[in-house]
Amino acid sequence: MGVIIAAISAAYFTLYPQDAYAMHIMEGMLPPKWCLFWFAAAAPFFVYGLYRMKRIVTSSQQNAKIMLALCGAFVFVLSSLKLPSVTGSCSHPTGVGLGTVMFGPGVMAVLGVIVLLFQALLLAHGGLTTLGANEFSMTIVGPLVGFAVWKLCRAFKVNRSVSLFLCAMLADWSTYITTAFQLAVVFPDPNTGMWGAAVKFLGIYAVTQIPLAIAEGLLTVIVYNLVISNNLWKESALG
């Protein structure tokens, strides 16, 4: 099912291209030293994600591969729905909450690279040199924050749907907080420096990202509950 969704989405965006405002940070926006820095920072998480993905693929959990594909397609489709935000970037859902709850944050680093590569090469969203930075913000920081929120809420016996909503919403927000600081380091404000630039970036993002994150949280709850109600997945089977 996930593969079919991804294929249909790819065909749509290929046949009907849209003006590219870039997915997260576009090609050429970061100096080479910062591109290398973010690649290096993301590398350990990617390696760990490969280990986690191997366990999932070889596990005895029924439908694991199908659900993995579904989570990847969910990230791809949602993160392709973009709204222009700051120069050289954009606002959009991230879709990482679903996979984070099902499989844990590690595997999202690998799924994120696949999604970001596909979008950079075929949809002109983001870029190859900024792949490390975009991966770090969306599929490393986002899932880690979301997973921590999910586990904390479940430990305090918070309703599952509420826990999932907060996981997806805060994973989205943390992604854009990270992106704002990634841009602020490179483009500091002449008067207030990095922190002043970060506040400006966050202020612009907030206009579009707050309602988007709320909508993403609600959609994630609906999809997850459908999966659970149809006995396609057991809660925390591999997460």
Side-chain angles (χ1 to χ4, degrees), residues 25-42:
I25 303 174
M26 68 185 295
E27 189 74 64
M29 285 295 293
L30 298 181
K33 65 177 182 180
W34 281 108
C35 293
L36 292 174
F37 172 82
W38 291 117
F39 272 113

Side-chain angles (χ1 to χ4, degrees), residues 2-233:
V3 175
I4 294 175
I5 295 174
I8 294 174
S9 301
Y12 173 81
F13 285 111
T14 302
L15 293 174
Y16 303 99
Q18 305 175 30
D19 293 334
Y21 291 94
M23 173 172 174
H24 286 308
I25 303 174
M26 68 185 295
E27 189 74 64
M29 285 295 293
L30 298 181
K33 65 177 182 180
W34 281 108
C35 293
L36 292 174
F37 172 82
W38 291 117
F39 272 113
F45 297 93
F46 180 79
V47 172
Y48 174 71
L50 289 175
Y51 163 75
R52 287 287 299 157
M53 183 171 286
K54 181 180 179 181
R55 287 188 58 193
I56 292 166
V57 172
T58 59
S59 73
S60 59
Q61 171 67 31
Q62 293 183 346
N63 296 327
K65 295 179 184 179
I66 296 176
M67 291 299 102
L68 190 64
L70 172 65
C71 291
F74 192 70
V75 173
F76 171 78
V77 172
L78 287 194
S79 60
S80 295
L81 305 174
K82 62 190 186 302
L83 294 173
S85 186
V86 261
T87 302
S89 189
C90 64
S91 287
H92 54 76
T94 63
V96 299
L98 184 66
T100 296
V101 169
M102 286 187 173
F103 299 108
V107 72
M108 298 310 297
V110 179
L111 287 180
V113 167
I114 297 172
V115 168
L116 290 168
L117 270 175
F118 189 92
Q119 292 179 334
L121 292 173
L122 299 182
L123 305 183
H125 299 177
L128 297 179
T129 61
T130 56
L131 180 64
N134 291 332
E135 180 194 3
F136 194 87
S137 62
M138 190 178 89
T139 59
I140 293 176
V141 173
L144 284 174
V145 170
F147 191 70
V149 171
W150 166 259
K151 287 296 187 181
L152 184 63
C153 287
R154 299 306 280 159
F156 283 94
K157 308 300 181 182
V158 177
N159 176 271
R160 185 184 71 192
S161 294
V162 174
S163 301
L164 182 57
F165 171 79
L166 292 174
C167 166
M169 182 181 68
L170 293 177
D172 185 299
W173 283 350
S174 62
T175 293
Y176 283 89
I177 291 173
T178 304
T179 301
F181 277 98
Q182 287 175 323
L183 292 172
V185 170
V186 179
F187 305 105
D189 184 270
N191 298 317
T192 56
M194 182 195 74
W195 292 102
V199 170
K200 291 180 180 179
F201 284 132
L202 287 170
I204 298 173
Y205 275 137
V207 175
T208 50
Q209 204 57 37
I210 289 178
L212 276 177
I214 294 172
E216 177 181 345
L218 295 173
L219 179 60
T220 302
V221 171
I222 293 172
V223 173
Y224 186 79
N225 286 339
L226 283 173
V227 170
I228 296 296
S229 64
N230 285 281
N231 297 317
L232 297 175
W233 191 253

